[in-house]
Amino acid sequence: MKASLGLRAGLLSLLIFAAIVLVWQIAARPTAVSGPAVDPEYAKLVGAAAATGQKSAMPTPADIGATIWKHLQDPFYVRGSNDKGIGIQLAYSLGRVLLGFFLAAIAAVPLGFLIGMSPLVHRALDPFIQVLKPVSPLAWMPLALYTIKDSAVSSIFVIFICSVWPMLINTAFGVASVRKEWLNVARTLEVGPLRTAFRVILPAAAPTIMTGMRISIGIAWLVIVAAEMLVGGTGIGYFVWNEWNNLSIANIVTAILLIGVVGLLLDQVLARLTKLVTYPE
Amino acid sequence: MTIPARPLISVEGLARRFGNTGPAVFEDIWFGVERGEFCCLIGHSGCGKTTILNVLAGLDAPSGGAVIVDNREIDGPSLDRAVIFQGHALLPWLTVLGNIAFAVASRWPSWDRAKVRAHAMTFIELVGLKGAENKRPAQLSGGMKQRVGIARALSIQPKMLLMDEPFSALDALTRGMLQEEVLRLCNETHQTVFMITHDVDEAILLADKIVLMTNGPGARIAEIVVNTMPRAERHRNDLHRHPQYYAIRNHLVEFLVNRSRNFDAEIAGQGYDPRRLRVVKPGLAAVNPPAEVVSLGLSR
């Protein structure tokens, strides 16, 4: 009897995971160094333990596991401005992403509606969109810092500017491609423009709009790490940079894994919402 | 001088051109539909049938001429003129009830939810869809979808129904059942109907009056065929046994096969006035043979 595809795929995933962990463990195992390997003066400077290099800076999977466990046990501690739990750092980043994302949605959906409905507005705004869309969101950072003069708000602005484009373009496309016959139904029923917008065009374009939002939140989550590395202070991006300065690879790997998991969750939430508004034809 | 009373729908000098001055798809179209009448427009694809219907619906503007409904020129869509679309055009994110309630709430914005729902339900029952009111269009068969389209159009209690080949996407069996249903509904509600079709049998079954349109470009109305078979005698299953059936059918088929192409040659040299169309009753020729034929039979 053949096991189900899901089961077999799960087994294969576990196998791959085990292989990676094994190779990693072997590669990162402590190398025994005979005698002092470094200049004695340097050894005096940095301390014997560090200088003898009993342990590589690269942690083993077991070290990572221990670090993750340590972080998960107390994710929300605050011990001074430079020592906060990883949960708090993630919460800062999430808060910025969600705030920037929602501000972008508030701006992009109505504007996208306008572009989708009016060929004139579409033609008029198209050059701006085409030029500004490919700009890396981080390129806006200096401009934002100069004009806003607040690093936290600047990072939210960067999130705003990077998540606005997919939503804007998808909303415009979704609205412009609403089936003519549905609009004709609304016209023959003498439905007013506002009611047509909310009862016909919005539900018809909702799956496309939601797809744009899903792309946006993915990009926003990518960008926030880089933005926080630049502005510093708080957030998971700052945490990663700070741990790089501490040369704590285990903490960095932990952060990478958590960034991945949170990104996955964000994507899944948007996927669920998209499914809710999708209609079969 | 008295002005003759206009029919409920009066199409007057309608024209449609490519561009503003280009060749005409159709021009100088004049005909009327009386109150309570079921009128079919027959013609080949490309002659502009759908454009005429869209102009009547107010969804399209003609290049020339006008449509007068109830003595007023139409200038846009209206709840008085309900459209049954060829592709049913249901909103797929709404249920059957939701689709009809959307129309009902558009017609009577002041009604509360319960009243809208109750009104919508009576029309769902009328088309035999009770029990399916909470289904989405994607869960319905083609015939059921078109029933919802019919219920939606009837639910707003319009002055007239406009149908654009409403049954052409359905299989033969479903089409037949729906045609009978439409006949029954029109008899019950005395609805005025304007329908486009290219199905001759459908026209004979449903229409009181059949308007024949020639091929485009430059299409025109050739003549008007009166269906002299009374509505009560028209049944889908034994239509072909009716003594008038073949005479009417042959007349229509002859038009579609030959005359629709060569109509310009046919009227050359004869007086053709698009405002005074020939009205023919081919069915009566079959049941009332000319007198000399009868006497010939007697003398033998």
Side-chain angles (χ1 to χ4, degrees):
Chain A
M1 202 192 91
K2 260 196 168 168
S4 77
L5 184 66
L7 195 66
R8 283 183 291 152
L11 274 174
L12 190 59
S13 292
L14 273 179
L15 213 66
I16 294 170
F17 179 71
I20 293 172
V21 167
L22 190 70
V23 170
W24 185 353
Q25 182 79 39
I26 292 168
R29 75 183 186 281
T31 45
V33 182
S34 53
V38 291
D39 184 7
E41 263 180 65
Y42 177 66
K44 213 186 282 174
L45 204 67
V46 296
T52 47
Q54 281 162 342
K55 213 164 178 285
S56 137
M58 192 66 196
T60 61
D63 297 333
I64 307 274
T67 311
I68 293 176
W69 181 242
K70 189 192 84 197
H71 280 300
L72 289 185
Q73 272 182 324
D74 187 13
F76 297 111
Y77 69 85
V78 178
R79 289 177 211 125
S81 64
N82 269 344
D83 193 7
K84 290 177 182 153
I86 201 161
I88 289 192
Q89 306 288 25
L90 274 173
Y92 271 118
S93 302
L94 257 179
R96 285 177 191 137
V97 162
L98 291 181
L99 190 57
F101 174 82
F102 281 119
L103 289 175
I106 289 167
V109 174
L111 191 60
F113 240 80
L114 198 63
I115 294 172
M117 304 263 264
S118 155
L120 174 75
V121 177
H122 178 106
R123 289 278 186 96
L125 291 185
D126 200 46
F128 299 100
I129 295 171
Q130 295 305 330
V131 168
L132 294 182
K133 184 175 61 128
V135 174
S136 164
L138 293 174
W140 291 93
M141 186 61 98
L143 202 61
L145 286 170
Y146 179 76
T147 47
I148 302 172
K149 296 185 175 65
D150 182 296
S151 62
V153 180
S154 296
S155 61
I156 292 168
F157 172 77
V158 168
I159 293 305
F160 169 87
I161 206 84
C162 76
S163 35
V164 89
W165 308 116
M167 283 195 263
L168 186 66
I169 289 163
N170 268 45
T171 305
F173 176 74
V175 168
S177 44
V178 172
R179 291 249 288 274
K180 190 85 195 291
E181 53 179 9
W182 297 337
L183 296 175
N184 279 346
V185 167
R187 286 178 66 198
T188 55
L189 292 173
E190 292 188 61
V191 180
L194 212 61
R195 194 155 172 264
T196 304
F198 281 105
R199 293 292 311 273
V200 180
I201 298 172
L202 190 61
T208 321
I209 298 175
M210 288 305 296
T211 306
M213 291 187 166
R214 197 174 162 190
I215 298 169
S216 280
I217 201 122
I219 295 176
W221 190 241
L222 290 180
V223 166
I224 192 66
V225 176
E228 284 170 347
M229 283 182 175
L230 276 177
V231 298
T234 48
I236 193 71
Y238 168 71
F239 176 85
V240 170
W241 198 248
N242 204 24
E243 296 307 320
W244 163 239
N245 288 333
N246 293 341
L247 206 64
S248 172
I249 305 290
N251 277 337
I252 294 174
V253 175
T254 305
I256 288 174
L257 288 176
L258 281 175
I259 290 169
V261 169
V262 172
L264 172 81
L265 290 178
L266 285 175
D267 188 59
Q268 284 305 306
V269 168
L270 267 292
R272 287 282 165 83
L273 290 177
T274 308
K275 213 171 169 191
L276 271 184
V277 298
T278 304
Y279 46 87
E281 279 197 49
Chain B
M1 193 184 122
T2 53
I3 303 160
R6 275 205 176 94
L8 179 63
I9 308 173
S10 179
V11 176
E12 307 190 354
L14 216 58
R16 178 53 172 264
R17 290 179 195 89
F18 293 108
N20 277 330
T21 51
V25 184
F26 56 80
E27 61 186 344
D28 230 359
I29 301 287
W30 297 75
F31 66 89
V33 182
E34 300 291 341
R35 201 178 290 274
E37 192 173 44
F38 198 124
C39 174
C40 266
L41 178 67
I42 275 198
H44 286 290
S45 328
C47 69
K49 300 187 301 267
T50 297
T51 309
I52 292 182
L53 185 124
N54 282 344
V55 170
L56 256 63
L59 296 171
D60 205 343
S63 314
V67 177
I68 316 288
V69 170
D70 238 0
N71 291 314
R72 288 173 67 179
E73 182 178 346
I74 63 166
D75 60 351
S78 159
L79 282 156
D80 287 337
R81 284 167 271 130
V83 185
I84 296 177
F85 296 90
Q86 187 174 2
H88 61 76
L90 300 178
L91 306 178
W93 55 89
L94 296 177
T95 60
V96 168
L97 181 64
N99 266 287
I100 297 172
F102 180 63
V104 174
S106 306
R107 174 64 148 171
W108 296 282
S110 59
W111 284 12
D112 59 44
R113 286 176 80 102
K115 199 170 180 190
V116 167
R117 195 194 142 89
H119 185 86
M121 281 307 295
T122 57
F123 283 88
I124 291 173
E125 279 172 46
L126 188 71
V127 297
L129 281 180
K130 195 171 187 231
E133 65 265 22
N134 290 322
K135 288 192 170 156
R136 300 281 183 96
Q139 297 167 277
L140 303 178
S141 68
M144 288 164 94
K145 282 183 208 164
Q146 201 50 281
R147 275 168 201 264
V148 181
I150 293 168
R152 177 172 65 186
L154 291 174
S155 72
I156 59 172
Q157 298 180 333
K159 283 184 185 159
M160 71 202 67
L161 278 182
L162 306 172
M163 304 196 216
D164 184 4
E165 302 191 27
F167 312 121
S168 61
L170 305 175
D171 63 275
L173 203 68
T174 316
R175 190 189 311 149
M177 277 164 57
L178 270 187
Q179 284 166 348
E180 261 197 355
E181 203 121 317
V182 165
L183 198 60
R184 174 179 68 83
L185 290 172
C186 291
N187 281 337
E188 281 172 13
T189 57
H190 308 286
Q191 192 64 249
T192 309
V193 186
F194 177 74
M195 179 166 118
I196 285 174
T197 182
H198 48 232
D199 181 338
V200 168
D201 286 329
E202 181 170 286
I204 299 173
L205 179 67
L206 296 175
D208 307 313
K209 183 164 95 181
I210 302 162
V211 178
L212 305 183
M213 200 163 170
T214 67
N215 290 1
R220 42 176 125 213
I221 305 292
E223 62 191 23
I224 287 166
V225 175
V226 177
N227 188 353
T228 40
M229 293 163 61
R231 273 192 196 186
E233 293 174 23
R234 292 185 227 145
H235 305 289
R236 180 169 54 94
N237 294 328
D238 51 7
L239 197 63
H240 60 284
R241 294 204 193 95
H242 196 280
Q244 300 187 24
Y245 170 72
Y246 280 106
I248 302 174
R249 186 173 202 282
N250 290 346
H251 187 88
L252 296 178
V253 171
E254 167 66 16
F255 174 80
L256 284 179
V257 174
N258 294 318
R259 292 174 57 209
S260 62
R261 268 186 293 141
N262 307 318
F263 188 70
D264 283 342
E266 184 182 323
I267 57 168
Q270 295 183 27
Y272 168 81
D273 182 354
R275 303 185 62 165
R276 284 186 185 72
L277 294 166
R278 210 151 63 95
V279 177
V280 294
K281 298 177 178 174
L284 291 185
V287 287
N288 295 325
E292 56 269 27
V293 176
V294 177
S295 60
L296 255 175
L298 283 173
S299 67
R300 214 172 258 173

